[in-house]
Each structure stands twice: as C-alpha cells, then as structure tokens.
Amino acid sequence: MGGQVSAEADAEIEGERKWVFISHDPLSLDELMKMVSDPACGAITTFSGTTRDNFEGKKAYEPMALKEMDRILQEVLEGACGKGVRRVACAHRLGVVPLAEASVLIAVASEHRPEGFAACRYIIDTLKAKVPIWKKEIYADGETWKANKEWDPTHS
C-alpha cells in the first residue's frame, strides 16, 4: 500500500478475490479499488475510517489480526451479506496515523450495491468486534491507550 507492507495475507479462491493488509505506511483507497475491480460487478463500495480529533504500551498482534481479517473477508465471500460479492480488500494502518488520514480501508466489488453496502458494514463492524486493535490516542491534555470499544474478547 503506497510503500512496504509489514504483513500481508492473500488467499486464492477462484483467482485472487480477497486481500488483507497491515501496514505502517499510508493506505491507498485507489489501490484497494483497483484490486477489487471486476468487470462482472456493477458496484465498488468503500469504507474509510479516519483519525479524528476527539473521542470519549500495547501493540497489535499482527499475525492474529491478519488471520481474523482474512476470516471476516472469507465470511463475506461465502455469502454472509448475500450473493453477488465477488472481491473484497481490507487494510489497517499501524503506527502514527495523522489526523484525517485513513487507519482502515475496505473495498468491496459486488454485482449490485445493496450487497456491497452490507459487506462494508459487516466487515468494519465485525473487525471492530473481533480484532483487538489497540491504539494510543493523543490529546491536547495527555494521551491514553485503548482498545476498540466494540471489542469483545470472547469473539477472538
């Protein structure tokens, strides 16, 4: 993604249909869209989660995060959001992510838009619930480490 990918898991199912990445470099929505582009699809739906300026020493365990991200994308390809999703990609950025830059990107190619929107929502909601991605938030008055508030350790 725009530079060296620190960890990547690709699975081949009827050719390349899904990609998951964890990177310390800036993420590129254009690159993800090119990966999932499919002439049999009428929609490419995307989600971009960015760093914000407000919100009410642990590191992400990359191999586990990649495995879980890959599993989530596989569920989508197997019909968790309906038929017609043909290609999916998800990338998560580690390290310092400046304000307004993407920390997570999702791209879904589907035959029709309803499945694409459902898949994007399913991927981000399931990712936040199942993958314990810790982040250090830095504010004007201090800093704190926190997990996704949606994360449930019983899902891992």
Side-chain angles (χ1 to χ4, degrees), residues 56-75:
E56 64 172 47
K58 296 183 179 181
K59 288 185 168 184
Y61 180 56
E62 293 180 31
M64 186 280 293
L66 283 167
K67 182 178 176 182
E68 194 60 42
M69 290 165 66
D70 187 70
R71 183 178 302 143
I72 293 165
L73 298 188
Q74 186 60 40
E75 290 171 4

Side-chain angles (χ1 to χ4, degrees), residues 38-142:
D38 185 320
C41 293
I44 294 178
T45 310
T46 64
F47 172 82
S48 179
T50 58
T51 303
R52 55 185 160 198
D53 67 357
N54 64 80
F55 195 76
E56 64 172 47
K58 296 183 179 181
K59 288 185 168 184
Y61 180 56
E62 293 180 31
M64 186 280 293
L66 283 167
K67 182 178 176 182
E68 194 60 42
M69 290 165 66
D70 187 70
R71 183 178 302 143
I72 293 165
L73 298 188
Q74 186 60 40
E75 290 171 4
V76 169
L77 289 172
E78 290 175 354
C81 302
K83 294 185 178 189
V85 173
R86 298 176 58 88
R87 293 176 180 220
V88 291
C90 181
H92 205 293
R93 186 170 171 189
L94 299 178
V96 175
V97 181
L99 188 63
E101 287 192 17
S103 55
V104 63
L105 293 177
I106 298 167
V108 176
S110 58
E111 294 171 11
H112 304 284
R113 69 182 174 275
E115 294 85 358
F117 285 119
C120 276
R121 181 184 257 315
Y122 179 86
I123 292 166
I124 191 61
D125 289 351
T126 307
L127 176 72
K128 288 195 151 271
K130 291 186 174 184
V131 180
I133 297 173
W134 288 81
K135 58 185 173 182
K136 183 178 188 179
E137 293 191 345
I138 302 172
Y139 306 98
D141 62 349

Side-chain angles (χ1 to χ4, degrees), residues 1-3 21 26-36 89 107:
M1 307 265 25
F21 302 93
L27 304 177
S28 169
L29 187 55
D30 287 341
E31 287 184 38
L32 258 64
M33 290 178 62
K34 288 176 187 173
M35 287 177 195
V36 302

